[in-house]
């Protein structure tokens, strides 16, 4: 198409500071505390420790106006940030989860997983699996389980959702849960996977990456750096975690993906779009059914930065869940 790959310094774009010793100082994003249950808000939030040794936790979102035993669907949510940035308390993700709890009439469990480069992949995937297992423990313990889950959730309607890097996590966590045996999650049933503009990549440049070199959020120099900091040391962007299309799906992977419904969300103005399309072609070629939602005008992470344009997206998610 006439586009040229060009050297671009990603550090200024991500507002990173590279120290003389080679370490990197990450930017800090505004965060908000959990509300607790004694506030005048339509969605209440609570932080709960997941694993003290790993310093991981979850933030639970509950619509205030629902009554006990409402049997709401549960969404286990993985936030984005290229595996290196943001937390559940970061303002855009907190606001998104509040909106999802309100508009989807669901309980949201947003997972504060470990970040790279201190904790490279698969650490985030492991934390994602542990979060789902934690939910299972709450469902199983009728006397001491977390009351915001125990008293309000229908555990047979559990969905795993994530955007960008979180969408990548949904895929990899879903495969790991299958390999461990979905029966071990009972009474929790994973009813569906929701991958919103999942963060995949590869060594080979794509047309959408080259065309969107000036993308304000995910130009390829920035995503290259994110992968460099998050992938296992000594690997490149054709590693399975980044580019599952290189190796393709194993028989077990296909069985795992066929066992649950999938919704894949694509944006036509997302520089990562071509990788996502190749991912869907891989699923289709293996006989894995999925639902696609495509918005030709959507940039990457539109639900975070242009939420007023996401009515159709939320309708698609609602239809998928209900």
């Amino acid at each position: 198409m006439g586009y040229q790959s060009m050297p671009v310094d990603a550090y200024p774009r991500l507002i990173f500071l590279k120290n003389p010793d080679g370490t990197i100082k990450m930017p800090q994003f505004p965060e908000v505390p959990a509300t607790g249950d004694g506030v005048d808000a339509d969605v209440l939030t609570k932080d709960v420790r997941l694993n003290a040794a790993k310093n991981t936790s979850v933030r639970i979102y509950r619509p205030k106006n629902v009554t006990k035993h409402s049997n709401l669907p549960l969404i286990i949510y993985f936030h984005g940030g290229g595996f290196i940035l943001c937390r559940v308390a970061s303002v855009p993700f907190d606001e998104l989860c509040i909106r999802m709890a309100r508009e989807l009439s669901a309980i949201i469990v947003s997972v504060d997983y470990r970040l790279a480069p201190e904790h490279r992949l698969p650490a985030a995937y492991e934390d994602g699996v542990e979060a789902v297992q934690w939910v299972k423990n709450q469902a199983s313990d009728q006397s001491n389980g977390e009351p915001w889950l125990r008293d309000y959730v229908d555990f047979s309607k559990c969905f795993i959702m994530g955007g960008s890097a979180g969408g990548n996590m949904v895929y990899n966590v879903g495969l790991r849960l299958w390999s461990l045996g979905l029966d071990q999650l009972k009474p929790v049933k994973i009813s569906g996977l929701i991958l919103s503009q999942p963060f995949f990549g590869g060594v080979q440049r794509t047309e959408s990456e080259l065309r969107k070199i000036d993308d304000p959020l995910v130009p390829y120099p920035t995503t290259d750096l994110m992968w460099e900091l998050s992938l296992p040391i000594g690997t490149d962007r054709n590693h399975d975690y980044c580019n599952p299309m290189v190796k393709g799906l194993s028989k077990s992977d296909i069985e795992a993906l066929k066992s649950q419904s999938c919704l894949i969300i694509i944006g036509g103005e997302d520089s990562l779009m071509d990788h996502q399309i190749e991912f869907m072609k891989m699923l289709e070629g293996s006989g894995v059914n999925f639902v696609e939602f495509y918005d030709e005008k959507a940039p990457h992470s539109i639900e975070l930065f242009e939420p007023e344009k996401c009515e159709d997206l939320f309708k698609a998610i609602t239809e998928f869940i209900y």
Side-chain angles (χ1 to χ4, degrees):
M1 296 295 292
Y3 299 104
Q4 296 293 320
S5 178
M6 61 189 75
V8 180
D9 187 354
Y11 283 91
R13 290 173 178 248
L14 283 175
I15 328 172
F16 286 177
L17 293 178
K18 198 170 186 179
N19 299 319
D21 63 358
T23 59
I24 299 167
K25 183 178 180 181
M26 296 292 185
Q28 299 297 312
F29 293 89
E31 297 185 353
V32 290
T35 65
D37 58 7
V39 298
D40 184 17
D42 61 348
V43 175
L44 306 176
T45 63
K46 174 196 291 190
D47 289 335
V48 180
R49 177 67 65 193
L50 179 61
N51 186 315
K54 297 177 180 178
N55 195 29
T56 56
S57 61
V58 298
R59 178 167 290 188
I60 308 174
Y61 297 77
R62 174 171 70 84
K64 188 176 184 179
N65 62 355
V66 297
T67 58
K68 288 185 177 181
H69 312 298
S70 298
N71 292 326
L72 301 181
L74 173 66
I75 298 175
I76 300 171
Y77 181 77
F78 303 137
H79 68 78
F83 299 109
I84 61 175
L85 299 172
C86 300
R87 303 186 61 192
V88 298
S90 299
V91 170
F93 293 107
D94 184 71
E95 291 179 344
L96 172 64
C97 288
I98 288 173
R99 180 179 180 181
M100 289 198 298
R102 179 192 302 123
E103 296 191 20
L104 302 177
S105 190
I107 301 294
I108 314 296
V109 172
S110 184
V111 183
D112 209 32
Y113 54 86
R114 289 172 293 169
L115 298 176
E118 291 82 6
H119 306 285
R120 290 175 177 265
L121 295 173
Y125 305 151
E126 294 166 354
D127 295 343
V129 169
E130 187 170 17
V132 179
Q133 293 172 326
W134 176 84
V135 168
K136 179 257 186 185
N137 292 338
Q138 310 317 303
S140 301
D141 192 340
Q142 291 298 312
S143 57
N144 296 312
E146 165 54 49
W148 282 20
L149 300 189
R150 183 193 65 210
D151 295 342
Y152 294 92
V153 164
D154 180 348
F155 288 100
S156 70
K157 298 177 183 176
C158 180
F159 297 82
I160 305 178
M161 176 178 178
S164 192
N168 176 301
M169 285 183 63
V170 171
Y171 170 69
N172 282 283
V173 169
L175 295 184
R176 280 166 164 73
L177 290 171
W178 171 264
S179 69
L180 293 172
L182 294 183
D183 284 348
Q184 57 92 26
L185 293 177
K186 290 180 178 179
V188 170
K189 180 181 186 300
I190 307 300
S191 297
L193 307 177
I194 304 173
L195 294 75
S196 181
Q197 297 176 288
F199 185 37
F200 295 120
V203 170
Q204 183 68 37
R205 291 284 168 233
T206 68
E207 188 274 341
S208 63
E209 286 179 315
L210 297 173
R211 174 170 53 87
K212 300 290 291 183
I213 181 61
D214 292 322
D215 187 285
L217 188 64
V218 283
Y220 71 76
T222 295
T223 56
D224 285 0
L225 177 58
M226 288 174 164
W227 285 119
E228 179 185 334
L229 295 174
S230 60
L231 285 171
I233 293 174
T235 63
D236 64 20
R237 293 190 306 278
N238 279 342
H239 190 283
D240 288 353
Y241 299 157
C242 176
N243 190 356
M245 289 72 78
V246 171
K247 188 176 292 185
L249 298 173
S250 67
K251 182 178 179 181
S252 175
D253 294 339
I254 294 170
E255 291 175 352
L257 295 167
K258 283 184 173 181
S259 73
Q260 46 214 334
S261 301
C262 293
L263 170 63
I264 303 176
I265 298 163
I266 306 292
E269 293 300 321
D270 184 357
S271 67
L272 304 179
M273 177 182 69
D274 287 348
H275 293 299
Q276 297 156 5
I277 290 173
E278 288 302 310
F279 175 74
M280 290 193 297
K281 287 180 179 177
M282 177 182 71
L283 299 186
E284 192 171 28
S286 298
V288 176
N289 294 322
F290 57 89
V291 178
E292 177 190 354
F293 175 81
Y294 177 71
D295 181 345
E296 65 178 355
K297 296 182 179 179
H300 193 71
S301 296
I302 185 174
E303 72 277 12
L304 298 176
F305 303 110
E306 298 182 59
E308 71 281 358
K309 299 180 180 179
C310 291
E311 286 189 13
D312 289 342
L313 171 60
F314 270 76
K315 287 179 182 177
I317 296 172
T318 300
E319 289 176 2
F320 181 76
I321 290 175
Y322 287 98

